[in-house]
Amino acid sequence: MDTLSSSFLQKYVPNNFICNFIDPPLRPSIHPNHVLSGNFAPVNELPPTACDVVEGSLPPSLNGAYIRNGPNPQFIPRGPYHLFDGDGMLHAVTISGGEATFCSRFVKTYKYTLEREIGSPVILNVFSAFNDLLASLARYAVASGRVLAGQYDPSRGIGRANTSLSLISGKLFAHEECDLPYGIKLTCDGDIITLDRHEFLGEPFTAMTAHPKIDMETGETFAFRYSFLPPFLTYFRINGDGIKQDEVPIFSLKQASFIHDFAISKNYVVFPDTQIVIKPRDMLRGRVPVRVDLEKVPRLGIMPRYAVDEREIWWVDVPGFNIIHAVNAWEEEDDGGDTIVMVAPNALGVEHVLQRVDLVHLSLERIEINLKEKSVTRRPVSTANLEFAVINPAYVGKKNRYVYAAVGDPMPKIAGVVKLDLSLSTANSGDCTVARRLYGSSCYGGEPFFVAREPDNPAAEEDDGYLITYMHNENTEESKFLVMDAKSPTLEILAAVKLPQRVPYGFHGIFVPESHLRKL
């Protein structure tokens, strides 16, 4: 067989044959026509492009770059596709002197680059590839053949870097939890460059959470990875100089669980062990390996954050408590630090979280962990459907008063943002919402991000700053970058920037001050 014919078969025949003749009818949750409709549809890369401020003016103290991550498949999928499967794309607004520049670039992961060269998808998508036994076996056989033929090397990473971003020891990274992070750099004109896969954080085939926690006072980063092989959970930290410390494998987690996020306080880390489990054997049956086990009792694992092994971890059952994201945690000073308070959205209707997220209600809760009695009490702090909740980043691991959360309408669409005052979360307080902004008819946004007005002022009030996010109008098909006053009772819009290209709905973002951009 000549090279051209071989290349044609490798690129097109296996995928087309499986999609056309083997795949069963696709469920809506993995049907590309459904998943990628409207503003979930992918966009092309856009080089740095000047933007117009169409409302208000950009605050003088808001110099830097807001970068948001999200899935954006480089190839329009012909077969099953899940929302989590897309290649990572970063959308950045760079602000300087009241002017804004916008740029969209793919994270140039090993997966993205390899598939770009081949001209079609190669690496299996966990949430959609295993769709019926025969189709799953066919896709697995094709993928295995490509590995054996040397077409791709799984040890170089299988991730999409499509979930979040973080600043670790002064360096910017794009994350997805099934792989190691990729270094990112912004140029002086606002362009986005992928540097490399940061293998100093782990060996080949290892990974890192997409939600590391950065202690702004110590400069340390706290992180973990989960696995479908023992140890199912491994904890580690990175010191202020960017040097990874010894890992702490946690063997007391007896089965593989989907642990997307965790919380840290001054002296502890808190891990959720939810009803969302990982069953690798299900792949052999043509089923998605991540599923919900309603017979399992959710737990929390509490461990000193400087533990050198797992002997000090303990687990407590918390029935009905399933969290995907953690907002923050701290130790109460009033009782000598014997109580850890954690704030997190609880997924009610968790059985729908992977297939019908629109049926899930996310109840933001205050969770109190009694360290002496090893017991847990919980109460909601809002009646709304809230996710993607954030705080002033300087308060990670410390007692914070304010939370800013996205309003589901229903999820995954975000109708607005609310501000909650946790000082009102007494036993009989009810809803702690103190400010709200809805975007209007057919307008939807994403996760807000808090930027302090005076980040270097220790006397600044916790909520003295701005909420920033992207918002899309589905009627006009225009996207904007919004800047809101975080202290305002209406979360007043201070500035709106019209973007030169639509921004698809995505996941998590970060703001990098101008002083940091120069050092990346």
Side-chain angles (χ1 to χ4, degrees):
M1 185 181 293
D2 60 41
T3 303
L4 181 61
S5 299
S6 176
S7 174
F8 178 82
L9 287 173
Q10 286 181 338
K11 290 181 182 179
Y12 303 110
V13 172
N15 284 337
N16 286 348
F17 184 81
I18 295 170
C19 294
N20 292 336
F21 300 106
I22 302 180
D23 268 327
L26 301 180
R27 305 182 303 276
S29 62
I30 57 170
H31 198 303
N33 291 347
H34 175 77
V35 178
L36 295 175
S37 63
N39 194 42
F40 291 98
V43 294
N44 295 323
E45 289 191 318
L46 183 75
T49 305
C51 307
D52 293 328
V53 180
V54 294
E55 181 179 343
S57 59
L58 292 165
S61 58
L62 197 66
N63 287 330
Y66 171 63
I67 317 160
R68 204 223 59 205
N69 205 342
N72 190 81
Q74 65 169 316
F75 300 107
I76 300 298
R78 297 194 62 253
Y81 175 87
H82 191 277
L83 179 62
F84 299 162
D85 290 340
D87 299 284
M89 177 172 272
L90 306 180
H91 306 274
V93 169
T94 302
I95 303 166
S96 183
E99 298 183 347
T101 300
F102 179 75
C103 178
S104 294
R105 295 291 190 191
F106 282 104
V107 184
K108 305 305 192 295
T109 61
Y110 172 67
K111 174 187 183 296
Y112 171 88
T113 304
L114 173 69
E115 294 179 346
R116 190 76 173 175
E117 293 173 353
I118 291 175
S120 69
V122 171
I123 296 175
L124 296 179
N125 294 317
V126 170
F127 288 95
S128 61
F130 301 96
N131 177 42
D132 187 74
L133 179 58
L134 186 57
S136 301
L137 292 175
R139 285 191 169 88
Y140 184 77
V142 171
S144 299
R146 284 171 165 159
V147 173
L148 293 174
Q151 196 171 24
Y152 87 90
D153 179 3
S155 70
R156 296 181 62 185
I158 61 172
R160 301 149 190 80
N162 68 6
T163 306
S164 64
L165 299 115
S166 70
L167 270 174
I168 299 177
S169 303
K171 296 180 180 179
L172 182 62
F173 294 96
H175 297 273
E176 186 199 20
E177 62 209 55
C178 70
D179 204 344
L180 296 172
Y182 279 78
I184 302 295
K185 178 181 177 64
L186 267 70
T187 65
C188 58
D189 65 346
D191 209 346
I192 306 167
I193 298 173
T194 303
L195 299 176
D196 53 12
R197 181 174 182 254
H198 257 62
E199 297 185 359
F200 82 94
L201 291 174
E203 301 299 324
F205 299 107
T206 59
M208 174 179 169
T209 176
H211 289 288
K213 305 300 180 187
I214 290 88
D215 187 318
M216 302 287 279
E217 289 187 356
T218 67
E220 296 170 294
T221 299
F222 300 85
F224 68 93
R225 67 172 176 270
Y226 64 87
S227 172
F228 61 87
L229 297 173
F232 298 119
L233 179 63
T234 301
Y235 168 66
F236 59 92
R237 62 188 177 91
I238 303 163
N239 68 19
D241 295 324
I243 300 172
K244 181 185 175 186
Q245 307 300 292
D246 290 341
E247 295 185 345
V248 180
I250 299 174
F251 290 95
S252 57
L253 187 68
K254 297 301 183 182
Q255 63 174 312
S257 294
F258 178 76
I259 304 177
H260 182 66
D261 199 357
F262 75 136
I264 67 166
S265 66
K266 182 179 180 180
N267 294 296
Y268 295 93
V269 294
V270 182
F271 294 105
D273 178 18
T274 70
Q275 292 176 302
I276 307 174
V277 299
I278 303 173
K279 301 288 186 181
R281 291 183 181 179
D282 282 0
M283 291 187 290
L284 303 177
R285 302 181 178 96
R287 302 173 186 169
V288 177
V290 183
R291 60 182 174 88
V292 175
D293 179 5
L294 293 177
E295 299 298 317
K296 179 182 175 182
V297 178
R299 305 184 300 167
L300 291 175
I302 296 92
M303 184 173 72
R305 81 176 194 175
Y306 294 108
V308 295
D309 58 46
E310 70 161 335
R311 285 178 294 179
E312 294 181 83
I313 193 171
W314 53 275
W315 298 88
V316 57
D317 289 350
V318 191
F321 186 59
N322 291 282
I323 72 169
I324 298 172
H325 294 114
V327 182
N328 197 26
W330 66 84
E331 295 142 45
E332 288 283 26
E333 296 180 356
D334 294 346
D335 64 359
D338 289 336
T339 301
I340 298 174
V341 176
M342 182 170 73
V343 180
N346 181 25
L348 304 177
V350 68
E351 64 271 19
H352 302 298
V353 75
L354 297 174
Q355 303 295 332
R356 289 290 307 275
V357 69
D358 57 305
L359 299 179
V360 178
H361 182 92
L362 292 138
S363 173
L364 195 64
E365 295 188 7
R366 176 189 176 109
I367 304 96
E368 296 185 358
I369 305 166
N370 188 305
L371 297 173
K372 285 188 174 180
E373 298 178 2
K374 296 188 176 180
S375 62
V376 173
T377 59
R378 301 158 41 209
R379 59 177 176 271
V381 297
S382 174
T383 58
N385 184 15
L386 302 180
E387 243 287 29
F388 295 126
V390 299
I391 64 171
N392 182 330
Y395 286 78
V396 170
K398 301 191 299 184
K399 185 172 184 175
N400 68 288
R401 179 175 177 180
Y402 298 108
V403 171
Y404 309 91
V407 181
D409 187 38
M411 295 296 177
K413 287 193 174 182
I414 304 299
V417 60
V418 296
K419 175 183 180 180
L420 297 104
D421 184 347
L422 297 178
S423 70
L424 304 177
S425 59
T426 59
N428 301 307
S429 60
D431 198 322
C432 300
T433 303
V434 293
R436 179 189 307 268
R437 170 159 293 278
L438 299 179
Y439 299 131
S441 177
S442 300
C443 293
Y444 301 97
E447 175 195 65
F449 192 86
F450 180 91
V451 183
R453 187 172 62 89
E454 297 179 291
D456 298 323
N457 179 8
E461 294 181 308
E462 180 186 335
D463 62 343
D464 185 9
Y466 314 105
L467 288 183
I468 56 177
T469 193
Y470 290 132
M471 185 271 290
H472 181 73
N473 186 320
E474 295 190 345
N475 289 331
T476 64
E477 297 187 354
E478 292 180 344
S479 294
K480 293 179 180 179
F481 168 68
L482 300 182
V483 180
M484 293 169 273
D485 180 358
K487 290 182 71 70
S488 164
T490 61
L491 302 178
E492 176 190 359
I493 294 178
L494 300 176
V497 177
K498 183 180 177 181
L499 302 178
Q501 176 171 277
R502 178 174 60 83
V503 178
Y505 304 127
F507 298 141
H508 307 284
I510 193 173
F511 182 81
V512 183
E514 190 172 57
S515 58
H516 284 67
L517 288 177
R518 303 190 197 103
K519 302 174 184 177
L520 294 179

